[in-house]
């Protein structure tokens, strides 16, 4: 009962702050430079893309929360190291495309009316792993990926020009622990506040 009471109290407090400071919505699109670390993958960034929606929830004059929902296509390349570690002579194609539904929840700090800094966690849900890497159809990638996000945004009227770096905190290898696979991503994009 106490948990329910405190949850309701927190919800009322948050809704009061949101009502007082305002909430804005927008859409965004951009490019990803993706890399999966580990001996099984090439140590280089590959081009992908993202698109989705965001909101800006003001908490005070300079602080806010920026939750987002993004569709992310992550591209990477498998190396011969994968065959050596997992004894796969004929592993499936070397170019891998993973599609994630990414949900970052970022703290937004307005340095000035034109510049904002963002920091926070991002949870990715694997919605399509085109390549399973094994002839027998065995899954290679975990369905969830937790990452940390840091970046900056230029605010020009209703437009948002942003850059950020995402570093994976969790091992996305769903085979075993012989090789740790972690995601890294550089994102550049353009958003429009509606």
């Amino acid at each position: 009962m106490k948990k329910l009471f405190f949850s309701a109290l927190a919800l009322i407090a948050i809704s009061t702050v949101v009502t007082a400071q305002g909430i804005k919505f927008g859409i965004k699109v951009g490019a990803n430079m993706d890399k999966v670390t580990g001996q099984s993958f090439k140590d280089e960034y590959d081009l992908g893309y993202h698109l989705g929606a965001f909101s800006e929830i003001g908490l005070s004059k300079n602080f806010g929360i920026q939750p987002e929902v993004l569709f992310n296509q992550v591209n990477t390349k498998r190396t011969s190291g994968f065959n050596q570690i997992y004894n796969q002579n004929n592993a499936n194609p070397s170019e891998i495309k993973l599609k994630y539904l990414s949900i970052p929840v970022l703290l937004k700090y307005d340095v000035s009316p034109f510049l904002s800094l963002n920091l926070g966690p991002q949870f990715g849900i694997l919605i399509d792993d085109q390549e399973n890497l094994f002839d027998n159809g065995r899954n290679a990638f975990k369905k969830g990926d937790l990452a940390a996000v840091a970046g900056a945004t230029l605010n020009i009227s209703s437009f948002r020009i942003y850059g950020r770096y995402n570093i994976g905190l969790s091992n996305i290898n769903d085979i075993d622990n012989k090789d740790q696979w972690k995601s890294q991503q550089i994102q550049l994009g353009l958003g429009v506040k509606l």
Side-chain angles (χ1 to χ4, degrees):
M1 189 66 168
K2 285 183 181 180
K3 288 182 182 179
L4 182 61
F5 173 74
F6 286 117
S7 297
L9 189 61
L11 186 60
I12 291 168
I14 290 171
S15 66
T16 303
V17 170
V18 168
T19 303
Q21 299 299 323
I23 184 168
K24 301 167 189 142
F25 295 96
I27 55 174
K28 57 174 39 184
V29 63
N32 298 338
M33 294 300 295
D34 306 302
K35 176 167 80 167
V36 177
T37 61
Q39 296 175 30
S40 301
F41 299 95
K42 287 196 176 179
D43 189 24
E44 62 185 36
Y45 286 94
D46 288 296
L47 186 62
Y49 66 90
H50 65 275
L51 54 94
F54 67 94
S55 65
E56 296 173 347
I57 303 169
L59 299 177
S60 70
K61 180 181 176 185
N62 294 91
F63 284 96
I65 297 174
Q66 185 173 315
E68 302 177 359
V69 176
L70 303 173
F71 173 82
N72 264 313
Q73 179 169 307
V74 175
N75 297 323
T76 190
K77 292 182 180 78
R78 180 184 52 77
T79 65
S80 60
F82 180 86
N83 297 345
Q84 294 167 357
I85 294 168
Y86 296 106
N87 298 320
Q88 291 288 308
N89 295 329
N90 296 316
N92 284 327
S94 64
E95 292 191 17
I96 299 162
K97 293 183 181 180
L98 305 171
K99 295 176 181 148
Y100 283 91
L101 179 66
S102 300
I103 305 167
V105 180
L106 307 175
L107 178 65
K108 180 177 179 266
Y109 175 70
D110 294 328
V111 177
S112 74
F114 304 105
L115 177 65
S116 301
L117 302 178
N118 302 105
L119 180 68
Q122 172 177 285
F123 187 73
I125 302 165
L126 184 63
I127 55 177
D128 181 20
D129 54 345
Q130 180 183 342
E131 314 301 340
N132 57 27
L133 304 182
F134 290 102
D135 292 332
N136 64 5
R138 182 178 169 199
N139 290 331
F141 297 94
K142 289 185 179 172
K143 299 300 179 193
D145 182 21
L146 180 64
V149 179
T153 304
L154 292 175
N155 306 305
I156 304 168
S157 184
S158 293
F159 294 98
R160 306 291 186 257
I161 300 169
Y162 60 92
R164 60 175 64 154
Y165 179 69
N166 305 341
I167 184 161
L169 302 176
S170 56
N171 179 14
I172 58 174
N173 180 345
D174 201 26
I175 304 166
D176 55 32
N177 289 322
K178 290 181 184 176
D179 190 14
Q180 296 279 315
W181 303 348
K182 293 191 177 183
S183 62
Q184 291 183 21
Q185 189 175 71
I186 298 168
Q187 289 183 325
L188 299 171
L190 176 65
V192 178
K193 182 181 72 173
L194 303 175

